[in-house]
Amino acid sequence: MPDRIVSADVIVCSPGRNFVTLKITTADGVVGWGDATVNGRELSVASYLRDHVAPLLLGRDPQRIEDTWQYLYRGAYWRRGPITMAAIGAVDLALWDIAGKIAGQPVFNLLGGAVRDRILCYTHANGTELPEVLDAVDAKRAAGFVAVRAQFGVPGLDQVYGVHAPEGIDDDHGAGAGHGGYEPAGRGARPVEEVWDTGAYLRHAPATLAAVRDHVGPELKLLHDAHHRLRPVEAARLARELEPADLFWLEDVTPAENQQVLRLVREHSTTPLAIGEVFNTIWDCQQLIIEQQIDYIRACVMHAGGISHARRIWDLAALYQVLAGPHGPSDVSPITMAASLHLALATPNFGIQEYMGYEPVTEEVFGHGWSFTDGYLHPGDAPGLGVTVDEEAAAAHPYQPAYLPVARTRDGAITNW
Ligand code: CS2
Ligand code: MG
């Protein structure tokens, strides 16, 4: 008689920022943890899980992971989308965690075993003015990172997403918990509004990244995120003008909704391109991979339906020599980070993991088995995903409304960011 799922509970907490966590328990007392955090839309995915998914899980065999995935994906009729796929992703992560614990094996062994010893990762460095950017990059190198994403302010703009607010800018409605360091979601009932000016950015970015490259020398892997802001011809120009900076990748140079525009960028530049942090199924990734318009696919293991679906995306990518470079900001929980690392360790065409680290208050709630050494991560050898959740500590940090900013052009119209 196989073990059965007896409960599926959702925990929403805010240790430093909001997280949605799924706890699945089996009749034998095995507990699996999943993450379902969708930044700024946390309560919708919590409801999806609580109201529509948890009741369906009761009585199911936890080891029928793929069957449960198909049941939730096809069974809903309403396919794809960030909320649905994050919810399915959370269930999938929790079930892989349970499968590992039942087998007494780390999840990467269930996925075929390690194909590498350690996982290359990149972190974030940002500053408003160039000296501050260089100091931030140096600090990350001193901490051992060999790959760093550099973001910077733009002359004439008060505030730029991904760069902490300069002194005197109230970026979180006075709550005191806004962009301190790097926090893309400001607490408060409404999003912060920022002004964006593509011309000013295009005039500033190439020289800034070239200066960073000059400062760090040739070895450091240098990344930059354009955060969906550019139109096709602007994206092509930026990619070409950044060639002297020898980027490891240029990320989200356009919104990838109209995927054909990437052809224009490719025609004009050999700067490697990474896209996909907002994608949530293989269908979103298919065209860019098959047409080889990108070099790295950024889909997040949880937002893309969990390990079971992300590995299909990564396998498709392997056919075209596209590498996985999964999204791993601090707005997905350490449970997702663990899942991403287990899959990365077992996947031949893995490239690089985004790793911003977590605030100590987050790590008081979410314990994890992964470790960072000299610029590389390892998921650890504990059975399952190697994560723990302190539910009492979580209860001490209730949900607080928080939103990603919105951006307007100088004429007041909403624009991409
Ligand atoms: C960014 C993120 O990590 C990244 O590459 O684009 O900061 C992203 O904006 C947030 O994760 C959105 O929730
Ligand atoms: Mg990004």
Side-chain angles (χ1 to χ4, degrees):
M1 171 79 178
D3 198 3
R4 295 286 165 192
I5 295 171
V6 293
S7 65
D9 301 302
V10 179
I11 300 163
V12 182
C13 65
S14 194
R17 53 153 308 101
N18 292 320
F19 294 107
V20 180
T21 303
L22 177 68
K23 176 186 185 184
I24 294 182
T25 308
T26 74
D28 290 348
V30 185
V31 170
W33 295 105
D35 173 32
T37 308
V38 178
N39 199 2
R41 296 293 185 270
E42 295 87 358
L43 301 184
S44 55
V45 71
S47 159
Y48 191 110
L49 280 170
R50 253 187 213 127
D51 299 333
H52 301 293
V53 172
L56 307 181
L57 294 176
L58 303 183
R60 295 184 69 82
D61 176 352
Q63 298 214 69
R64 293 187 64 169
I65 301 176
E66 184 63 33
D67 183 61
T68 298
W69 196 97
Q70 299 290 334
Y71 179 75
L72 295 175
Y73 182 79
R74 296 175 196 248
Y77 184 72
W78 308 106
R79 297 181 185 197
R80 305 166 63 177
I83 305 303
T84 295
M85 297 310 291
I88 295 175
V91 173
D92 189 77
L93 265 44
L95 295 185
W96 278 102
D97 192 24
I98 288 171
K101 286 171 179 165
I102 290 174
Q105 291 287 335
V107 166
F108 66 78
N109 273 346
L110 274 50
L111 297 169
V115 296
R116 55 177 48 80
D117 299 327
R118 53 188 190 156
I119 295 157
L120 176 66
C121 68
Y122 74 90
T123 193
H124 294 192
N126 66 77
T128 304
E129 304 285 339
L130 181 61
E132 219 188 318
V133 181
L134 300 182
D135 286 351
V137 173
D138 285 347
K140 298 301 180 179
R141 291 159 82 202
F145 287 95
V146 296
V148 178
R149 188 192 90 165
Q151 304 296 120
F152 37 83
V154 174
L157 300 185
D158 286 343
Q159 199 175 319
V160 172
Y161 177 77
V163 180
H164 63 78
E167 286 299 313
I169 299 284
D170 174 18
D171 63 349
D172 67 343
H173 311 279
H179 288 218
Y182 181 92
E183 173 47 83
R187 282 183 174 162
R190 285 170 198 277
V192 170
E193 300 211 354
E194 300 175 351
V195 174
W196 176 250
D197 181 337
T198 295
Y201 169 72
L202 288 177
R203 287 191 294 278
H204 188 65
T208 303
L209 285 163
V212 177
R213 172 56 73 204
D214 272 358
H215 177 79
V216 297
E219 292 286 319
L220 186 82
K221 298 177 206 319
L222 185 60
L223 299 83
H224 179 65
D225 190 347
H227 228 282
H228 320 271
R229 294 173 180 123
L230 306 180
R231 291 169 49 242
V233 76
E234 297 162 346
R237 174 178 151 197
L238 181 69
R240 193 186 62 205
E241 291 186 356
L242 288 180
E243 283 178 8
D246 189 22
L247 292 189
F248 182 90
W249 82 33
L250 173 61
E251 177 180 336
D252 285 339
V253 74
T254 70
E257 286 152 335
N258 172 10
Q259 301 195 340
Q260 293 173 10
V261 304
L262 267 297
R263 293 185 196 143
L264 183 74
V265 183
R266 272 293 208 226
E267 275 166 23
H268 291 276
S269 174
T270 55
T271 294
L273 300 176
I275 285 195
E277 68 181 42
V278 302
F279 293 178
N280 39 64
T281 68
I282 199 167
W283 309 107
D284 306 325
C285 308
Q286 182 182 18
Q287 181 181 336
L288 290 181
I289 291 173
I290 288 177
E291 294 188 0
Q292 294 178 267
Q293 303 298 340
I294 55 172
D295 301 281
Y296 294 88
I297 182 70
R298 294 268 298 137
C300 170
V301 168
M302 175 266 291
H303 291 145
I307 289 172
S308 299
H309 193 66
R311 67 177 171 165
R312 303 204 188 291
I313 298 174
W314 295 10
D315 282 347
L316 175 68
L319 300 181
Y320 300 92
Q321 292 176 282
V322 172
L323 303 181
H327 195 212
S330 49
D331 53 75
V332 295
S333 93
I335 301 169
T336 291
M337 181 58 61
S340 202
L341 296 176
H342 281 275
L343 186 55
L345 203 71
T347 301
N349 64 316
F350 174 80
I352 194 166
Q353 172 68 52
E354 181 179 21
Y355 176 65
M356 294 169 62
Y358 291 92
E359 289 182 48
V361 64
T362 304
E363 294 193 328
E364 281 167 24
V365 173
F366 298 96
H368 57 79
W370 82 69
S371 53
F372 171 84
T373 316
D374 298 334
Y376 290 80
L377 292 160
H378 191 283
D381 295 316
L385 293 174
V387 293
T388 55
V389 179
D390 182 334
E391 291 176 71
E392 235 171 81
H397 300 282
Y399 168 78
Q400 300 193 26
Y403 290 96
L404 287 157
V406 297
R408 293 184 186 275
T409 47
R410 290 198 184 279
D411 63 0
I414 291 283
T415 188
N416 297 323
W417 59 273

